[in-house]
Amino acid sequence: MALNTNSIDQMQVVPTGGPLGAEIQGLDLTHALPEDTVQRLHQALLTHCVLLFRGQEISDEEQVRFTNYFGQAVEHVRKQMPRPVKEIFFVSNVQKDGQPIGALGNDDIPFHSDLSYLRRPGTLSIIYAVELPSTGGATKWCNCYAAYEALNPDLKARLKGLRAVHRHHVESQNPPEMIDHPVVCTHPETGRKALYVGPHLTRYIVGFSEAESSELLRRLFDHMSQERFVWTHDWQVNDLVIWDNRCTMHRRERFPPTERRIMKRTQIFNDEIPYE
Ligand code: OGA
Ligand code: MN
């Protein structure tokens, strides 16, 4: 290992050219990161919302070490098969002995922010690509700052003070009480406002009639899905992506059920409850 491995002057932040995201070049995540490099990554994440690292051949422990630079990696709330490193959560359609080894299958997953059905949702998520299908399975991120900022002033005013219920369709995933969050949240670190609703987990606007709620949510979902807010990532094996769930929503495209996709996921939670 060269003395200056992962030094700040070797690190490059290359924006995707899309509405969010940057590729980080010059770092090798099999080695520890010095503090100033971590700080620069943290800043880059606040600026670009999603960071991509390519060609990383990392172990589970190295993924957890990387995750811990940004907070505390914790075991996912969903139970999974016994595994050597419990902070690693498998996102996969692969079955072993008739049991899925991971979560989320092969279908389309609409836009969502991770774990928004909890009072304290996920803050940052990290996915590491281990095995990929030959087609499909791309992940798309929406820049929810940009989506909010582009709303017309009347609609922005209408959203003020509104809250929406977020709930998982697998009922056992949910806490006993209904969880609601502001429709527009302020990012605690940047102070910027971002739209915080998505078709996968957001159910209805508190206090609205069903018709009024679905009309407004449909309008917001259509708005945020516009290409001008969305960046698509076509995965390569050994890609690692970290994203900020407080200013982005993501979705995954389906892939053939006959093909295998294995991703390793780590998670950081926020101490803060989302606020407007
Ligand atoms: C997730 C998720 C998408 C993907 O792990 O939260 O949405 O591309 N995954 O696997
Ligand atoms: Mn997700």
Side-chain angles (χ1 to χ4, degrees), residues 165-213:
V165 166
H166 294 241
R167 205 150 177 89
H168 203 282
H169 9 258
V170 179
E171 197 43 51
S172 59
Q173 296 285 120
N174 292 305
E177 72 278 20
M178 288 293 179
I179 298 300
D180 58 30
H181 298 296
V183 169
V184 176
C185 291
T186 300
H187 192 292
E189 291 183 73
T190 64
R192 295 175 70 192
K193 286 191 187 304
L195 206 53
Y196 195 69
V197 289
H200 187 46
L201 297 172
T202 309
R203 295 302 185 80
Y204 58 87
I205 309 268
V206 177
F208 275 30
S209 72
E210 204 180 313
E212 201 187 4
S213 169

Side-chain angles (χ1 to χ4, degrees), residues 191-258:
R192 295 175 70 192
K193 286 191 187 304
L195 206 53
Y196 195 69
V197 289
H200 187 46
L201 297 172
T202 309
R203 295 302 185 80
Y204 58 87
I205 309 268
V206 177
F208 275 30
S209 72
E210 204 180 313
E212 201 187 4
S213 169
S214 41
E215 189 274 327
L216 179 57
L217 286 177
R218 176 47 47 210
R219 190 168 162 197
L220 294 174
F221 298 161
D222 287 348
H223 171 78
M224 67 188 281
S225 304
Q226 292 174 78
E227 280 302 309
R228 61 181 167 138
F229 305 127
V230 176
W231 174 66
T232 301
H233 180 51
D234 289 312
W235 293 91
Q236 294 175 10
V237 168
N238 296 337
D239 280 354
L240 180 139
V241 172
I242 177 169
W243 70 92
D244 189 336
N245 285 295
R246 301 167 296 184
C247 50
T248 64
M249 296 263 160
H250 58 284
R251 54 170 295 201
R252 185 195 68 197
E253 294 185 331
R254 69 182 303 282
F255 57 95
T258 48

Side-chain angles (χ1 to χ4, degrees), residues 142-175:
C142 167
N143 184 332
C144 292
Y145 291 136
Y148 172 72
E149 285 157 12
L151 294 173
N152 73 49
D154 287 349
L155 189 48
K156 273 189 190 155
R158 188 170 170 219
L159 298 184
K160 235 182 164 135
L162 294 186
R163 301 181 68 84
V165 166
H166 294 241
R167 205 150 177 89
H168 203 282
H169 9 258
V170 179
E171 197 43 51
S172 59
Q173 296 285 120
N174 292 305

Side-chain angles (χ1 to χ4, degrees), residues 89-132:
F89 179 82
F90 280 79
V91 171
S92 183
N93 64 322
V94 171
Q95 306 232 344
K96 202 173 148 197
D97 306 324
Q99 293 293 320
I101 64 162
L104 305 184
N106 74 293
D107 269 341
D108 214 74
I109 308 168
F111 274 120
H112 64 282
S113 182
D114 284 334
L115 304 157
S116 69
Y117 50 91
L118 302 178
R119 175 55 63 213
R120 290 182 165 75
T123 310
L124 305 178
S125 303
I126 292 168
I127 287 188
Y128 177 58
V130 178
E131 200 175 326
L132 295 169

